[in-house]
Amino acid sequence: MYWKYVVRRAIYGIMMYIVMIFVFSTLFNSVADSTMRSQIDEQVAQESLGWKNLTPDQRDAKLASRRADKIRQYHLDDPLPSRIFFRSIRTLTFDFGNSTTIKASNGDRLVIGIIGEALPRTIVLFTTEVALVTIVGVAMGLYAGRKPNGLLDRTVSMLTMITNGLPAWWLAMLAIMAFAYNIPIFPSGGLHINPAPTGFAGILDYLWHLSLPLLTLFFLGVWGTAYLVRNIVLSNLQEDFVMAARARGVGESKVLFGHTLRTSMPAIMTLAILGLFSSIAGNIIVEGIFNWPGIGNLYFEAVQQNDVPILMSTLAIETLLTMVGFVILDIVYGFLDPRIKVGGTA
Amino acid sequence: MKKIRAFALVAALATLGLGAQVKGPIVDKILIDAKTSEDIAIKDVAAGKSDLFDYGSSGAVYKGLPDDIRAKLDPYAVTGALYNDLYMNPYPNKAPYTATSKDGKVQFNPFAIREVRFAMNFLINRKKIIDEILVGAGQPMFTPVVPGQPNSSKFGLEASKLGFTANGNEAKALADIDAALQKAAAADPKLVKNGQWWNYGGDPVTVNFLIRVDDPSLRVPMGRYIADEIEKAGIKVNRLEYDRAKCTAIWYKSDPADYQWTLYTDAWGGGQTYAFWDGSIAQMYAPWYSFMPGGGKAGQWQYENADLDSLTQACVNGRVKDSAEYYDKLMKATDIGLQEALRVFICATTSYTPAAKDRFNSRMLWGSGDGINNFSLYSADVKPDTTGQFKGEKVLRLSEFSSKGALFMSAWDPIGPDGFGDTYSSVVIKNVSDQEYMANPITGLPFPASGSWSNVKTGAIDWSKTPAVGSIAVPASAVLWNTKDQKWESGINYVDVKGDGSTYDYVKVDPGKNTAWSEATYTYKFGRWHDGRDIDINDYRYAMARPYDLSYKHGDNDKVYEESYASAINPNLPRVKGVVFNKNNTITVYGDANYPMDQATLATLLMPSLMIEASNYGDILPWTVHEALKTMVAEGSASKTQWVFNSNGDLSEVDLLSQACTSDILAKMQELAAKKAVPPALVGYLTPAQAVSAYEKSIAFIQKHGHAVISNGGFVIDKYDSKNNTMVLTAFRDPRYPFPKGWFTKELSTTYLRIDGIKVGTFSKGKDLTVSATLNDIAFPAGTAKATTKADVKVIIVAGKDIVAAGKITKAGTAEATFKAGELAGLKAGGSYTVIVEAGSAVDTANLIVF
């Protein structure tokens, strides 16, 4: 029964998720423990340089007190197994708690609030980019596949090699050099000018700041997607059922969209859904270059600050969404291609 | 009558003149944003999108910029904001120089031999590191004192006298190491030299060298170079290229006796301009300061050196009778530190903070130790905007470097020791809050700003007693805030009861017998708070009382007591023995502070300040905000959020910039205003109506600006946009603001002498020797050089006994000193000697080879 497969697949996904959260918690807490203790010692020692006119005893007392403060701050005074277990349980129940150092813009240290600020920025940039790349890439791939060695096909092949052969950050820098400095039609980065305009002007300003990173990412991504779709389509166009359709006198558009595209959809949907879900992880380097404070930047900062609650929570959310993506893919495969009966009986 | 009219006219003209004097900084606004990419931020400055990128880029980054970019930048180069040393594990620091690692293996530690450590000063070619690794962006360093900073020459001389030079002397070093190891081998037959390598018990003598892999531009190549040099001495080097976390866990946390490491590529941040270096010498050499192997951690082997402890404690804690004794002790400590050589200093790196060349009318002030600082923004003078919403105004666009894109990493918590702790919080708050005194960015010495001192005296101090007893009588009218009884009281002292920093309490003293080491009287230019209320003596009264409220624990249920603050501030509070609030609005303080090297520094040690925080980040707030915070933390907030001072994993730390905290501060202020609450420390000095008026002004400010950072400095935080990570500072042009436009530039501009080259020439025995030096007067902050026409010049050849010759200016920019052949008769042919040129406060060295 198909629904049994869906339930089984969902349960399997949940179990995998639980295991992964415990693994993350064990890794982060155990690694962070020794690192944080060393950093606390270093930090307090550095702070002590400003202490004047203290006797050695007073100095020792103050050093010990400051170390104890920091150890409490990072909960390093709790036993390690307890930290691993409770952090996992809290994460699994979506009780992300407070970050240790990173703050939301309103000053709160609630992890959900901090992620809630960064995530929409990432979605606006990267998820929009994935959506645009998918739509345009599929269209271009279809047409490129229909006319192999045509102008579009050759262009797609060539630009795929170029854009995939060069590092994203380098192309991003080139885009900034070209359109922020040489032909200064876009800002070099950030969300807004300073001070940020409000109302409709604020929206326009935001879109203006979004344009260059979005166009850059789109340019980087669309050719590869088109090339992939082109190859899938090209392969399907050689299939017997397509030949048969053409032999029956079915129109070329119907062959392309009705027969070829539908058959190619599982692969294209895999690409699109995984791309969409993984897009919420952002991109540390591109966000850094375009000064776009999304999830990628947040994750990078959390690694630098050893902010375990933030690290755990961002990874938990991203893992969860990826898992959900896989489950959804498994479910929709059956609908997209009648030949696929995953989990069904023959 | 005519006289009266004339007087009235003069007074009116003077008033008009004063009224016309514009107060505050030169620029009208500062727009601050954050950049996540260093490269883009620099290019933004070059492209005119930003005026100043407040981040010191390394020489490799700055010098690697294309010429057309660099041509548009005016960099502020600072040497010593970062510096490096080679840190050594000396365990066991005595024969037989062996250590047993955790796996039970007995290993020979060559760096347990003092002579081997000392030889590293000659083995390392510091010039090579600076030229080849730092691409010239750095200076050699021999002691913990950053070269080029005030008084650094005194310490440089100590190193020169020991024969240290930037080029080193590899042959001497290898010979010295070999001699030291041969001597050790004579006492321990297991140590033998087998071919090129030294062996111990049949295994090669191997040292573990921790090299910081996360510093690929400096510490990795430097570490590899030093490792190669050490191997020339027949000692194998295990190059452990680890990141910060892994290195720190080993070199800082592990017991030196476990011998997990032998050498570490250490690095430090300079941070500010120092005039006195006792703290640095103690930190880098003396065990009591907890930075040496063992770090004072219980259960670990400790490096011990009683002489270093005693000498540096005397200097750091002012237990010296005069400047001569201070420097005598400090130089002895420096010499011991250099001889012990647990830390061999290598180089101070130069960093470059880029400003847009075409946007500034003149160069900003900056610190020789910290680069761009509060003086920079006060003295920044940019061209007015020609278009846009700020047309006609002078607007400085300043970018910060932040990997997350956030402007500030720390909470703006005015009590917790971590508040304002990040670099940029500190930079901004120092432009929003004005201290009573400030440190000169070039000399490092304090100078009076909104407060000044007079009648600074230190009496005889009896150091034989513990604690030492002063001889200046504290008058019976002198008071302290007694937080136990919530009143100003005379005849009490606040003391460290056991003398170990564990318990502090009040004790009664006989009013006639209370004495202090020193006294000083302070006068203030009171100015005005950003909310429009005049600053007065009551603000100081409150600021002097509040630390006792926070630091004295009334009992287990004391919700005002703040442990982290108390641990930071309690050791300082007993210093004050009594305070007299004089009728003329001056304050006389009697206290146990001693600093014979500099009277101004002594005065600042006792100076009453509006600043209540313990960490010296510089935030100043009126009592209206502090009272609201106090009650909000102790009694709860309107939003039911439990606010705390000091960061804590579960509770919310007070943050004057956060909307949530600001709303609760506002609600608490409204509550206090409704209650007409007068702070306990001001009861009798302030009427309830005055208190309500003060609250109302603060409430209006918070409602207008959306944050609770009300202060007294040259800039007001006009707008903080936390979502977009931007901030707008507006110049505080209030007529009561103490400093006229351009005051800081005028006050701190100066000229100093710089030695730009030394020519020793060749010297053959039996002939006279002439040493010449190129001298320039450098204008600060313009940076322009003019050939020196007047200077006291002295040239010293460091031999067994120093040979000194007076120099004279022979032509503009050139000084010469001649040594007669007879004076140099004692120099050995083939020998190499250090030549020191002293010109004014500038010192530089060169080498003399005798043929």
Side-chain angles (χ1 to χ4, degrees), chain A residues 34-35 37-39 41-63 65-67 69-70 72-75 90 98-109 114 117 121 173 176-177 180-181 184 186-189 191-196 198 287-293 297-298 300-301 304-305, chain B residues 31-37 39-40 43-44 47 49 212 244-245 248-249 251-253 268-269 278-279 283 288-291 295 297 313 316-318 389-390 403-405 408-412 417-418 496 499-501 504 563-564 567-568 571-572 575 605 646-653 655 658-660 719-728:
Chain A
S34 61
T35 308
R37 284 178 193 276
S38 310
Q39 286 182 0
D41 279 356
E42 223 181 4
Q43 200 177 332
V44 172
Q46 189 67 31
E47 192 183 307
S48 74
L49 298 181
W51 301 348
K52 286 277 182 189
N53 282 277
L54 300 183
T55 63
D57 283 342
Q58 288 173 334
R59 192 178 166 79
D60 287 346
K62 197 166 162 176
L63 277 169
S65 164
R66 289 297 292 141
R67 280 195 196 113
D69 271 354
K70 295 275 174 194
R72 264 199 309 277
Q73 178 190 343
Y74 289 97
H75 290 284
R90 288 179 75 171
N98 283 343
S99 71
T100 45
T101 51
I102 296 172
K103 294 180 297 173
S105 64
N106 66 359
D108 269 359
R109 284 194 295 111
I114 295 165
E117 268 181 5
R121 293 171 187 150
M173 291 291 281
I176 292 174
M177 288 303 290
Y181 301 128
F186 292 119
S188 59
L191 301 173
H192 279 293
I193 57 166
N194 182 19
T198 52
E287 285 181 21
I289 290 171
F290 284 108
N291 203 13
W292 195 265
N297 260 340
L298 179 65
F300 180 62
E301 189 61 25
Q304 286 191 322
Q305 304 281 328
Chain B
L31 308 183
I32 305 174
D33 63 14
K35 295 279 162 60
T36 49
S37 162
D39 192 45
I40 297 294
K43 290 187 170 87
D44 273 358
K49 292 172 187 282
R212 280 283 291 272
R244 176 188 171 189
T248 309
W251 79 266
Y252 197 81
K253 294 287 284 184
W268 298 91
D278 44 70
Q283 174 202 349
W288 75 278
Y289 222 72
S290 311
F291 281 81
K297 296 181 191 88
Q313 277 172 25
V316 169
N317 293 327
Q389 60 177 315
F390 302 118
S403 54
K404 180 177 172 275
F408 310 114
M409 291 305 296
S410 313
W412 282 34
D418 293 323
D496 177 358
D500 61 0
Y504 292 85
E563 190 180 349
S564 61
S567 77
N572 297 333
R575 188 187 292 162
L605 289 173
N646 198 21
S647 40
N648 180 295
D650 295 321
L651 306 176
S652 299
E653 184 176 11
D655 187 345
S658 97
Q659 296 150 18
K719 188 180 175 189
Y720 172 55
D721 184 345
S722 56
K723 283 197 169 58
N724 295 307
N725 291 315
T726 57
M727 183 176 257
V728 178

Side-chain angles (χ1 to χ4, degrees), chain A residues 208-336:
Chain A
W208 183 49
H209 279 75
L210 176 69
S211 304
L212 189 57
L214 185 59
L215 287 171
T216 307
L217 288 171
F218 175 78
F219 182 77
L220 281 167
V222 72
W223 308 107
T225 304
Y227 188 70
L228 197 71
V229 172
R230 171 248 190 217
N231 285 347
I232 295 166
V233 167
L234 205 57
S235 144
N236 282 333
L237 281 170
Q238 312 303 317
E239 294 284 341
D240 292 346
F241 68 93
V242 175
M243 303 275 192
R246 280 179 173 152
R248 287 200 309 273
V250 176
E252 198 55 30
S253 294
K254 178 96 175 163
V255 167
L256 197 61
F257 292 105
H259 294 72
T260 315
L261 182 59
R262 178 147 192 201
T263 327
S264 309
M265 274 313 264
I268 294 171
M269 282 305 290
T270 306
L271 184 75
I273 290 180
L274 289 183
L276 280 172
F277 281 112
S278 64
S279 71
I280 63 126
N283 181 317
I284 293 173
I285 295 171
V286 173
E287 285 181 21
I289 290 171
F290 284 108
N291 203 13
W292 195 265
I295 286 285
N297 260 340
L298 179 65
Y299 189 80
F300 180 62
E301 189 61 25
V303 170
Q304 286 191 322
Q305 304 281 328
N306 271 297
D307 200 322
V308 174
I310 296 273
L311 284 171
M312 281 290 296
S313 308
T314 47
L315 266 186
I317 290 171
E318 284 157 20
T319 307
L320 180 66
L321 288 172
T322 307
M323 292 280 185
V324 169
F326 278 120
V327 172
I328 290 172
L329 274 177
D330 279 352
I331 293 168
V332 297
Y333 275 171
F335 292 104
L336 291 170

Side-chain angles (χ1 to χ4, degrees), chain A residues 7 16 30 61 65 72 132 139 146 154 163 231 246 291 296 314:
Chain A
V7 171
M16 276 300 293
S30 51
S65 164
R72 264 199 309 277
L132 285 174
R146 197 177 62 170
R154 278 182 285 137
T163 53
N231 285 347
R246 280 179 173 152
N291 203 13
T314 47

Side-chain angles (χ1 to χ4, degrees), chain B residues 545-556:
Chain B
R546 178 87 172 113
Y548 294 94
D549 291 340
L550 285 159
S551 304
Y552 179 80
K553 194 170 188 177
H554 292 77
D556 289 340

Side-chain angles (χ1 to χ4, degrees), chain B residues 617-628:
Chain B
Y617 289 120
D619 64 286
I620 285 175
L621 302 164
W623 58 261
T624 49
V625 177
H626 277 294
E627 279 297 285

Side-chain angles (χ1 to χ4, degrees), chain B residues 371-584:
Chain B
I372 297 298
N373 55 24
N374 52 320
F375 297 117
S376 311
L377 303 191
Y378 275 168
S379 62
D381 185 4
V382 294
K383 297 183 172 98
D385 279 15
T386 51
T387 56
Q389 60 177 315
F390 302 118
K391 189 177 175 183
E393 289 186 86
K394 289 187 172 185
V395 180
L396 177 75
R397 288 170 176 81
L398 181 149
S399 296
E400 297 178 355
F401 183 38
S402 159
S403 54
K404 180 177 172 275
L407 281 185
F408 310 114
M409 291 305 296
S410 313
W412 282 34
D413 169 0
I415 300 299
D418 293 323
F420 295 92
D422 65 290
T423 306
Y424 293 115
S425 291
S426 178
V427 166
V428 173
I429 196 63
K430 281 179 179 161
N431 283 273
V432 172
S433 297
D434 276 352
Q435 306 286 316
E436 288 76 11
Y437 69 91
M438 299 181 189
N440 185 300
I442 290 296
T443 66
L445 291 169
F447 67 92
S450 63
S452 58
W453 43 84
S454 59
N455 195 30
V456 183
K457 282 191 286 200
T458 301
I461 301 167
D462 183 354
W463 296 110
S464 65
K465 294 192 172 132
T466 305
V469 176
S471 56
I472 290 181
V474 178
S477 58
V479 292
L480 282 184
W481 174 248
N482 184 343
T483 186
K484 287 164 92 170
D485 300 332
Q486 293 284 286
K487 66 176 185 184
W488 291 97
E489 189 176 345
S490 59
I492 54 168
N493 278 344
Y494 188 71
V495 298
D496 177 358
V497 177
K498 296 176 188 166
D500 61 0
S502 63
T503 315
Y504 292 85
D505 205 345
Y506 292 93
V507 293
K508 289 276 181 197
V509 285
D510 185 341
K513 290 183 180 166
N514 196 10
T515 59
W517 300 0
S518 305
E519 69 164 291
T521 297
Y522 301 92
T523 307
Y524 299 94
K525 299 169 187 170
F526 287 110
R528 188 169 280 163
W529 295 108
H530 291 162
D531 65 6
R533 181 170 66 81
D534 290 355
I535 298 169
D536 63 23
I537 199 76
N538 282 331
D539 289 296
Y540 282 89
R541 211 184 295 271
Y542 180 88
M544 292 174 81
R546 178 87 172 113
Y548 294 94
D549 291 340
L550 285 159
S551 304
Y552 179 80
K553 194 170 188 177
H554 292 77
D556 289 340
N557 292 323
D558 184 354
K559 290 181 177 170
V560 175
Y561 171 75
E562 172 50 47
E563 190 180 349
S564 61
Y565 179 87
S567 77
I569 205 84
N570 255 335
N572 297 333
L573 290 179
R575 188 187 292 162
V576 178
K577 308 297 277 290
V579 177
V580 177
F581 294 95
N582 302 309
K583 285 181 180 164
N584 62 355

